[in-house]
Amino acid sequence: MVRSVVRGIGSYVPPKVVSNEDLSALMSTSDEWIRSRSGIRERRFAEEGVYCTDLALEAVRRALGDADMEPSDLDFIIFATLSPDHHFPGNACYLQAKMGISDIGCLDVRNQCTGFLYSLAVADSFIRTGMYRNILVVGSEVHSSAMDFSDRGRDVAVLFGDGAGAVILSPSENGDRGVLYTELHADGQYARALYMDVWDISRKPFLGPEAVQSDVIWPKMDGKTVFKHAVIRLIQVFQSALKKSGVRPEDIKYVIPHQANMRINHLVAEKIGIPPEKFLHNMQKYGNTTAASLPLLLDETYRAGKLEKGDLLLLLAFGSGFTWGASLLRW
Ligand code: COA
């Protein structure tokens, strides 16, 4: 049986560290408030002039190095982001050009914090049907240009950071490793619980002077609704994925959860009965990097030497849309 295995992985965060204290100088907030509500201590912000695809390119170089591959070995690119370089064309096209290659297919996935899981599922399907062999899957975000650092936007601005992660998926004939099972969900009723309507095609023009002066250019979040649904859906999808794939909780080496909020993840871990040391985190350092969150954490775990061939990992994500999902991966 053909399965999709991770042949190479890499990640990159921009060098500029922004602490909770740094944000306190911009808005009415405090290290204590941010840490107690989210677990986040600092995040990285890209400098002016840096694109989302620039962060991605660094992560891709590391993933190619890890796989011992060249850009020309790739057959397809999938790019998950909610902060593309421009509204169109998609980031996968920009990235392809920056990698110095052309011709291979490029696809952008706009599924926010679950974008990487959706992208992984698409890549896995392409590989298992034999359509493509080596697929680059990227999650990358530059949030720091599109957040309101005044008191009005403080509930969102303190939570997010910039970063990128990339994996190269390739087929393996030895069917016991790789992506074993994925399930994906969405509930569009909650689209406006976490959204940004800067590009509203019903406005004519979509972004006139009035719109620019108003708050439509900033992301908006109903934090309590997001929190409640995240906990419920992550627990549900964890339980469903294990049941449908016949895996027991004790078989899982690590849960790699989306890095939005420590309180959310602690509640989920407690409810599903997974020991806290198996539920990995790096949001303290990076905040919520949306589509980059899972590959960034996976790459850090791998480079820390914590993963051995055959380890069973469960990737979990929830985000705007609402979208959520789970993927079982045998390393
Ligand atoms: N610093 C200080 N105060 C802040 C603040 C900040 N950065 N952001 C908001 N506040 C204020 C609010 O204005 C509000 O003030 P008020 O009571 O005077 O109206 C108060 O803090 C709300 O506090 P609390 O009730 O403790 O908020 P909360 O428990 O709902 O926590 C979040 C707020 C945003 C941290 C929480 O709802 C959350 O984590 N939601 C999920 C967010 C998330 O993970 N999003 C991404 C999903 S992929």
Side-chain angles (χ1 to χ4, degrees):
M1 179 197 250
V2 174
R3 287 204 193 278
S4 318
V5 293
V6 175
R7 177 148 168 203
I9 182 163
S11 62
Y12 176 75
V13 289
K16 183 176 174 185
V17 178
V18 177
S19 66
N20 292 345
E21 285 82 5
D22 293 333
L23 292 181
S24 311
L26 304 174
M27 61 185 89
S28 311
T29 191
S30 65
D31 176 52
E32 196 283 327
W33 195 96
I34 301 169
R35 265 194 300 115
S36 64
R37 300 307 193 289
S38 70
I40 298 164
R41 292 170 185 270
E42 58 189 38
R43 71 286 294 143
R44 303 297 181 94
F45 282 179
E47 297 291 350
E48 177 139 24
V50 173
Y51 285 107
C52 180
T53 51
D54 294 327
L55 303 188
L57 185 62
E58 291 303 323
V60 169
R61 283 193 178 125
R62 292 168 191 200
L64 284 167
D66 184 46
D68 199 16
M69 290 170 81
E70 298 295 327
S72 56
D73 295 323
L74 298 172
D75 300 312
F76 198 82
I77 300 173
I78 305 180
F79 201 123
T81 188
L82 69 67
S83 50
D85 294 4
H86 297 130
H87 188 69
F88 72 87
N91 264 12
C93 291
Y94 283 117
L95 178 67
Q96 187 213 52
K98 285 181 180 176
M99 290 166 66
I101 52 174
S102 58
D103 202 38
I104 64 169
C106 285
L107 171 70
D108 270 39
V109 167
R110 299 288 303 276
N111 281 56
Q112 304 72 247
C113 297
T114 322
F116 186 77
L117 276 191
Y118 270 77
S119 303
L120 206 63
V122 173
D124 178 41
S125 305
F126 281 165
I127 287 171
R128 282 191 292 109
T129 58
M131 189 162 169
Y132 297 114
R133 287 186 66 79
N134 301 316
I135 303 185
L136 174 64
V137 181
V138 184
S140 180
E141 306 285 357
V142 173
H143 289 305
S144 53
S145 324
M147 290 191 298
D148 179 0
F149 292 103
S150 74
D151 282 10
R152 183 178 56 183
R154 64 184 177 166
D155 57 331
V156 176
V158 299
L159 300 178
F160 292 87
D162 303 342
V167 299
I168 297 160
L169 280 191
S170 299
S172 159
E173 308 300 330
N174 170 13
D176 58 345
R177 286 180 58 230
V179 179
L180 305 184
Y181 175 82
T182 301
E183 68 177 77
L184 303 170
H185 301 273
D187 188 347
Q189 283 181 81
Y190 296 96
R192 288 184 179 238
L194 179 50
Y195 79 117
M196 183 164 164
D197 65 353
V198 61
W199 184 281
D200 181 336
I201 212 68
S202 73
R203 286 194 301 259
K204 297 189 189 305
F206 80 99
L207 195 61
E210 270 177 34
V212 172
Q213 299 300 324
S214 75
D215 67 350
V216 301
I217 62 169
W218 304 121
K220 291 176 198 69
M221 178 176 76
D222 174 352
K224 285 192 197 307
T225 299
V226 173
F227 192 102
K228 189 178 88 185
H229 285 261
V231 173
I232 293 169
R233 294 308 194 178
L234 289 171
I235 293 168
Q236 279 176 353
V237 79
F238 174 93
Q239 289 171 337
S240 166
L242 263 63
K243 192 170 171 205
K244 289 181 185 146
S245 58
V247 164
R248 297 167 307 170
E250 56 270 32
D251 297 333
I252 294 172
K253 172 88 175 273
Y254 293 120
V255 177
I256 307 280
H258 174 50
Q259 300 295 293
N261 187 307
M262 197 71 90
R263 284 193 303 155
I264 291 176
N265 288 359
H266 282 165
L267 280 169
V268 173
E270 192 183 297
K271 178 70 187 171
I272 61 187
I274 289 267
E277 64 275 12
K278 283 191 166 195
F279 225 81
L280 303 186
H281 293 110
N282 63 4
M283 73 184 75
Q284 310 89 307
K285 296 187 289 180
Y286 306 128
N288 183 348
T289 56
T290 307
S293 154
L294 293 181
L296 191 52
L297 179 58
L298 191 58
D299 184 47
E300 279 204 352
T301 308
Y302 164 66
R303 284 176 199 269
K306 290 186 184 166
L307 298 183
E308 286 168 31
K309 266 192 185 160
D311 283 346
L312 193 56
L313 308 174
L314 183 72
L315 279 58
L316 281 180
F318 176 91
S320 156
F322 289 148
T323 55
W324 65 98
S327 187
L328 260 177
L329 179 68
R330 194 173 289 285
W331 191 251

